[in-house]
Amino acid sequence: MTVARTAMAGTLRFLVLGVLLPAASALIAAAAPANAGDMTGYINAGVGVRTGEGDVVYLRSLVNGKFTHQATKKLSFRLETDVYYDHPYFRPDGRFNARVREGYAKLRFKNADLKVGRVQVTWGDIDGFIVADQVSPFDLEHFIIPPFDEIRLGVDGVFLDYYFNWSYSMQLMWIARFNRPDLPPSDSPFDLFRINNIDNALPGGLRIENGPRRLPAQTFENSEAGVRFTGTTRAADWQVGYLYSWDDIPYFQFAPNATKPGVIDAFQAHGRYHLFMGNIVFPLGPTLIRLETAYNKDRVRNVVIPPDLSEPFDLAVRQDQWVTAGVVDFKPTFDWWQNADASLQVIYDRMIDPAPGLARVDEAVYIGARLSAAYRNDTIKPRLFAIANTRGADTWVQAVIDWEPFDQWRFSLEYDLFDGHEYRGFLPGFNNAGGIYGQFDKNDLVVVSTRYSF
Amino acid sequence: MRDRHRDSRKDSKNNGLALSAFAVSMILLTFTSAHASEGEKPDGAELAKQSDQAQRSDSEHNVMTMTLENSRGQQRVRTIEGYSKELDDDEEHRFVKFLKPSDVKDTTLLTYDYRDDDDDIWLYLPALKKVKRILSSNKTDYFMGSDFSYWDMENLDLANWEYRVTGDETLEGVDCWILEATPLNEDEREESGYDKTVSWIGKADMLPRRVDYHDTKGRHAKRLTTGDIRPTSADDPRPRAHRLTMENYITKHKTVLVMDTLELDVAVDEETFSQRNMRQ
């Protein structure tokens, strides 16, 4: 009944947001002069139920709108917005939210494009695992269950793409402020950054409470900057980049609570770090090889060394992290597997000289596979993605079938299976198994969603 | 004078997305034929070899509507804009952009087609905001949900197919040669997915009116029918089919391509075929 009531309430709000708003938008667009611009978007409604608990862990109705306007030959504008309603079981009340995913003015010159405003920036070329794609933050409130094009957010700044010729280009960016990712609340089963292991390092009798999130001050000194060079040649495509950035992945700062004896407040905070990235994609026989690496210098991570409780303490150290992915794309040939695409990937994640007590795995190898097909003239599209940590107890398998019987409509059925447990290797008596996917072991879920594009 | 015969360059290529929005002209180009005197059968290989001489252009711009229709009559409609340009003997560039419907709008394909090497292909998906180099498709894969396989949309492969004129027939008032093609080896048979194709070529204008495709299981799998053959424009008398219908007898599905705009030998800036343009 709870599931039904929650879904009903979401549906009513969805009708308001998902039908009335786009209808009004369409009327406005229809009434606008022909040269007023181009408006597209989609309405997406999805419900996800955990198979073990039977609760609605994901319920989102979202209206996305994209508006572009070519003011002159050289000047154009773009605006992309989301309006959505979230009501998973762990929120006592549903939440309306609106956000600007992109909003910028673009000046086009002979050899350059200049964008000013909020822009979604994409670096790298790996799917399903973030290696170098760390410029734009993501909406991770529901992990990466929503469609990937729904979760990338924008950053505010000035972005210059300069084209040396049609093969080589340079991207310069200045990001005025830290645009934080949307992270799950601490009571969400998709909470990515938990403190319940770190408290094992504290003396007995102490209790940790979550404090407010700490964000960098919006000052010029805290702005971000980066540069990327891109080459597109007959032999290969490549990217080399550098970004001085705030880390989207938070760490915890701790302090004894001023009024509650025995209580330690934990604050999610973000650290500065340097990202060096490189990427190359090239064909090799009947395959396509993708290699991507990111060296994350001075990333702040927690440790579990017992602290001195007389002072505020971070339990944090600066660590260098090196992540490299290798992917092989190929096309299997089987009669029953139509329009087949497959890829195998290996990801190597290593902390350089890990500090004692580091509260994360110091070295891990992930093996992944992606398979997809298209049947009945691309109206039925199954796909499968699986990734596992070779240390064990850390696996995610996602199976999706998209059904697109009519133009502009898509119906999806998805099953996500998580297996394992969170990483506890830094605690006495635990091995090095477990990790980010395993921690969602109880979150196996079925998701049904509908999308209408307009 | 550059060589305009590119018909055998794909011998060993796994070129899928080479088809593009230029499906219409690509298909027609492969089936034009050499003239033969009245009552005398032309040589099949010669007919195929000279196929593109009469109709190839250095560059092209088109906008076409692709209608996909299933056995219940339900239709899905796509509008596609394309540009192509031959750079030299060895290289041709093609740019294809989906204009409609909204769920695929601005999806863009850029193909660098090489004579003796695999194509370079990039795909831009606006939802992901990424230009990605992708693999050439298996030739038996179907293009964007249509009934045209990638092989259907390639140029003829003279080296690995045998062509034979089996007779002539009047088709809807047009005198046609009947040209039968069979693969010369097992690799080509598997790559194409066909045991045989049979084409009806108009004797007067050298354009195909019909092509039957027989799959490797011996079934008459598909039929291509061309129509609305007329001069490209008032200023350009070169004839082209402005409508193609591919019927798939196995799936009971069909695809209709209608050329809304067709311009030959137009000025196309090389910037058109750049990743910068894909993102615009």
Side-chain angles (χ1 to χ4, degrees):
Chain A
M1 283 300 290
T2 304
V3 172
R5 275 201 304 273
T6 307
M8 179 84 71
T11 303
L12 286 172
R13 287 165 175 81
F14 166 71
L15 286 173
V16 173
L17 281 173
V19 178
L20 295 180
L21 187 62
S25 302
L27 285 173
I28 293 168
N35 63 352
D38 180 32
M39 183 174 164
T40 59
Y42 57 82
I43 305 163
N44 198 89
V47 179
V49 178
R50 286 202 292 182
T51 55
E53 311 293 328
D55 46 26
V56 177
V57 70
Y58 170 66
L59 196 159
R60 178 178 280 188
S61 302
L62 181 145
V63 180
N64 169 273
K66 305 178 191 76
F67 180 78
T68 55
H69 175 57
Q70 191 75 39
T72 68
K73 192 175 178 181
K74 289 188 172 181
L75 176 64
S76 61
F77 298 93
R78 178 179 170 83
L79 179 67
E80 179 179 355
T81 59
D82 284 345
V83 179
Y84 64 90
Y85 173 77
D86 258 333
H87 197 177
Y89 80 89
F90 50 85
R91 288 189 193 281
D93 299 306
R95 181 185 68 155
F96 286 95
N97 200 4
R99 62 189 177 196
V100 176
R101 299 260 301 277
E102 279 196 313
Y104 61 80
K106 177 179 171 182
L107 273 170
R108 181 184 168 94
F109 303 100
K110 184 180 178 186
N111 292 317
D113 294 322
L114 178 69
K115 293 177 183 173
V116 180
R118 178 166 295 181
V119 176
Q120 294 178 35
V121 180
T122 57
W123 279 16
D125 208 27
I126 300 298
D127 297 322
F129 198 98
I130 297 171
V131 179
D133 196 1
Q134 300 183 43
V135 183
S136 278
F138 292 93
D139 171 5
L140 299 172
E141 279 216 62
H142 303 284
F143 192 46
I144 48 177
I145 301 300
F148 208 72
D149 57 336
E150 260 185 37
I151 65 174
R152 187 188 295 280
L153 306 174
V155 285
D156 303 332
V158 181
F159 308 83
L160 175 72
D161 287 293
Y162 181 81
Y163 300 90
F164 300 104
N165 52 43
W166 305 130
S167 296
Y168 299 99
S169 65
M170 174 180 68
Q171 182 178 58
L172 286 170
M173 66 179 72
W174 174 71
I175 300 171
R177 60 199 277 279
F178 173 61
N179 293 67
R180 65 178 192 174
D182 286 343
L183 298 175
S186 58
D187 49 358
S188 163
F190 280 116
D191 183 13
L192 284 163
F193 309 104
R194 302 177 183 186
I195 55 175
N196 54 345
N197 279 318
I198 294 174
D199 63 0
N200 284 302
L202 300 177
L206 292 178
R207 186 163 55 87
I208 291 183
E209 289 187 358
N210 283 297
R213 204 164 160 188
R214 289 176 170 172
L215 297 173
Q218 306 293 349
T219 61
F220 179 79
E221 290 77 14
N222 283 342
S223 60
E224 303 172 323
V227 60
R228 181 186 64 166
F229 294 91
T230 301
T232 306
T233 67
R234 187 166 173 176
D237 298 350
W238 55 263
Q239 300 174 25
V240 177
Y242 166 75
L243 180 72
Y244 183 43
S245 176
W246 289 95
D247 197 341
D248 287 348
I249 300 175
Y251 70 102
F252 285 100
Q253 295 177 339
F254 300 91
N257 188 290
T259 59
K260 299 178 187 173
V263 172
I264 303 293
D265 290 328
F267 307 91
Q268 283 190 4
H270 298 265
R272 277 278 210 187
Y273 77 113
H274 304 268
L275 165 67
F276 300 89
M277 64 80 68
N279 162 291
I280 187 166
V281 181
F282 58 93
L284 185 65
T287 68
L288 194 68
I289 308 296
R290 303 177 193 274
L291 299 173
E292 186 163 311
T293 192
Y295 191 85
N296 304 289
K297 183 171 175 49
D298 289 342
R299 220 164 187 178
V300 183
R301 291 291 176 265
N302 285 113
V303 292
V304 290
I305 298 170
D308 175 1
L309 296 179
S310 60
E311 298 288 336
F313 52 93
D314 275 355
L315 289 179
V317 294
R318 287 198 174 272
Q319 285 279 175
D320 293 355
Q321 179 192 19
W322 182 41
V323 184
T324 298
V327 180
V328 181
D329 292 341
F330 59 101
K331 286 188 164 289
T333 52
F334 299 106
D335 275 352
W336 51 268
W337 191 352
Q338 293 178 12
N339 285 23
D341 278 298
S343 68
L344 300 175
Q345 62 186 43
V346 178
I347 294 139
Y348 178 63
D349 179 354
R350 182 184 166 206
M351 305 304 284
I352 309 295
D353 297 328
L358 190 66
R360 83 179 295 282
V361 66
D362 53 4
E363 188 174 31
V365 177
Y366 298 89
I367 305 290
R370 182 178 57 81
L371 312 172
S372 66
Y375 296 97
R376 299 184 70 87
N377 296 86
D378 282 8
T379 55
I380 299 173
K381 298 178 184 173
R383 64 180 191 274
L384 181 72
F385 175 72
I387 189 165
N389 187 336
T390 56
R391 292 190 177 209
D394 189 18
T395 300
W396 178 30
V397 178
Q398 182 184 60
V400 183
I401 295 180
D402 289 332
W403 181 43
E404 300 173 2
F406 322 108
D407 279 335
Q408 299 170 271
W409 285 93
R410 184 174 75 199
F411 305 94
S412 299
L413 175 64
E414 172 182 331
Y415 180 65
D416 293 273
L417 183 147
F418 298 93
D419 185 62
H421 54 72
E422 60 195 330
Y423 176 70
R424 296 185 286 253
F426 49 86
L427 298 175
F430 291 94
N431 62 23
N432 276 329
I436 191 166
Y437 308 113
Q439 69 180 322
F440 300 140
D441 184 58
K442 293 181 178 175
N443 289 1
D444 295 354
L445 75 162
V446 174
V447 182
V448 179
S449 63
T450 302
R451 177 179 288 205
Y452 174 74
S453 301
F454 56 89
Chain B
M1 181 68 183
R2 67 200 179 114
D3 177 10
R4 295 165 72 123
H5 299 271
R6 298 164 60 91
D7 44 16
S8 62
R9 63 188 169 153
K10 300 284 186 179
D11 292 2
S12 60
K13 293 177 62 172
N14 185 19
N15 166 32
L17 296 172
L19 36 117
S20 83
F22 304 96
V24 176
S25 57
M26 295 285 280
I27 291 167
L28 295 185
L29 290 172
T30 62
F31 290 102
T32 55
S33 65
H35 290 271
S37 58
E38 195 66 34
E40 179 187 338
K41 285 183 188 175
D43 175 72
E46 188 65 22
L47 193 76
K49 185 178 179 182
Q50 296 181 11
S51 62
D52 62 355
Q53 270 189 324
Q55 297 195 45
R56 187 165 287 279
S57 59
D58 291 341
S59 63
E60 182 174 320
H61 168 235
N62 64 30
V63 179
M64 64 183 188
T65 302
M66 181 167 78
T67 303
L68 314 175
E69 185 175 318
N70 67 15
S71 57
R72 296 187 298 280
Q74 291 173 331
Q75 292 187 340
R76 294 178 294 150
V77 181
R78 279 107 177 80
T79 305
I80 306 167
E81 181 173 27
Y83 293 87
S84 71
K85 186 175 186 178
E86 288 194 25
L87 300 188
D88 52 37
D89 293 355
D90 298 324
E91 194 168 344
E92 179 176 347
H93 291 177
R94 288 193 284 274
F95 177 89
V96 178
K97 187 172 192 172
F98 283 77
L99 307 180
K100 291 178 182 174
S102 52
D103 50 351
V104 294
K105 185 176 186 297
D106 292 333
T107 298
T108 308
L109 277 170
L110 176 63
T111 303
Y112 287 7
D113 181 350
Y114 307 112
R115 182 189 182 106
D116 297 317
D117 206 349
D118 288 345
D119 296 345
D120 288 331
I121 305 171
W122 295 270
L123 172 68
Y124 176 67
L125 294 171
L128 299 180
K129 302 187 189 303
K130 277 186 181 180
V131 174
K132 294 187 69 171
R133 183 188 280 252
I134 61 172
L135 268 175
S136 299
S137 292
N138 287 330
K139 291 182 180 179
T140 53
D141 283 355
Y142 287 98
F143 172 64
M144 295 298 285
S146 75
D147 295 285
F148 292 90
S149 75
Y150 291 100
W151 189 91
D152 296 341
M153 307 178 85
E154 282 192 0
N155 296 321
L156 283 188
D157 182 348
L158 290 176
N160 293 301
W161 286 70
E162 180 181 30
Y163 298 93
R164 193 162 58 95
V165 177
T166 59
D168 58 355
E169 184 179 350
T170 300
L171 208 61
E172 296 185 355
V174 179
D175 286 340
C176 297
W177 294 115
I178 301 174
L179 179 67
E180 185 175 299
T182 51
L184 285 174
N185 53 64
E186 188 60 25
D187 284 350
E188 187 63 24
R189 180 175 171 272
E190 285 187 9
E191 193 172 77
S192 67
Y194 298 125
D195 266 351
K196 181 174 72 173
T197 67
V198 182
S199 308
W200 280 256
I201 310 292
K203 290 181 179 178
D205 59 14
M206 305 301 162
L207 295 177
R209 294 309 196 272
R210 173 193 292 174
V211 184
D212 284 349
Y213 298 87
H214 299 260
D215 68 14
T216 53
K217 294 176 181 171
R219 299 176 296 186
H220 179 195
K222 298 193 297 189
R223 170 170 288 177
L224 172 72
T225 308
T226 65
D228 193 15
I229 295 174
R230 55 183 162 83
T232 304
S233 69
D235 301 326
D236 188 346
R238 287 175 286 185
R240 291 289 190 275
H242 285 67
R243 180 185 179 90
L244 288 109
T245 303
M246 181 70 93
E247 294 174 272
N248 188 321
Y249 297 133
I250 308 298
T251 62
K252 313 294 184 195
H253 193 277
K254 73 177 178 183
T255 301
V256 180
L257 295 175
V258 174
M259 301 287 275
D260 303 314
T261 300
L262 177 60
E263 299 172 288
L264 304 178
D265 294 328
V266 293
V268 185
D269 194 312
E270 188 54 25
E271 185 187 342
T272 303
F273 308 102
S274 68
Q275 293 197 15
R276 182 189 190 188
N277 192 41
M278 295 179 81
R279 294 190 185 92
Q280 297 300 315

